[in-house]
Amino acid sequence: MLPAGLDAPVFAEPWQAEAFAMTVALLDKGLFSWSEWADALSAEVRKPGAASDGHDYYAHWLAALEKLLAAKGVAGKGDVDTLAAAWERAAHATPHGKPILLENDPARPKVVAVQIR
């Protein structure tokens, strides 16, 4: 049940809540400032083609976060895309009802244990 006064969930999809939470956690850690965040998000939502009804707001949110991570040298776009693809493969390879683990990615290099005597 939603709290009084709310007609709908704040986030339409779980990934939106996760992107929000990651951003707040990174702000709290001091990776970037509120003004840096506001500038990055504003630049994204002002881009041509943004939906006038705001339905793509969290897509802009995520794009702003990815660009800030790249600008700060934390994770480049290629790093983010590679990791996202690995999670996607892991999700497809995970049996229903089981936790999705990155180790389930069938393309992940297998680590061979070597016993040294």
Side-chain angles (χ1 to χ4, degrees), residues 89-100:
R89 289 188 304 269
H92 287 291
T94 301
H96 181 72
K98 299 289 181 183
I100 299 171

Side-chain angles (χ1 to χ4, degrees), residues 4-44:
L6 287 181
D7 296 328
V10 174
F11 303 103
E13 300 284 338
W15 70 265
Q16 296 170 347
E18 292 166 356
F20 181 89
M22 279 192 289
T23 303
V24 171
L26 293 170
L27 280 159
D28 287 347
K29 293 269 186 201
L31 183 64
F32 44 85
S33 68
W34 279 107
S35 61
E36 286 176 296
W37 172 248
D39 291 344
L41 182 56
S42 295
E44 288 299 319

Side-chain angles (χ1 to χ4, degrees), residues 35-116:
S35 61
E36 286 176 296
W37 172 248
D39 291 344
L41 182 56
S42 295
E44 288 299 319
V45 297
R46 285 191 309 241
K47 282 187 171 180
S52 60
D53 67 357
H55 76 269
D56 57 353
Y57 180 74
Y58 281 102
H60 296 297
W61 183 287
L62 186 57
L65 179 57
E66 288 177 348
K67 286 180 181 167
L68 270 175
L69 292 176
K72 297 292 184 175
V74 175
K77 175 98 171 93
D79 298 327
V80 171
D81 291 345
T82 298
L83 190 55
W87 279 108
E88 183 74 21
R89 289 188 304 269
H92 287 291
T94 301
H96 181 72
K98 299 289 181 183
I100 299 171
L101 304 171
L102 197 52
E103 291 80 25
N104 295 345
D105 175 7
R108 182 180 176 171
K110 302 298 179 211
V111 177
V112 178
V114 177
Q115 187 175 26
I116 300 174

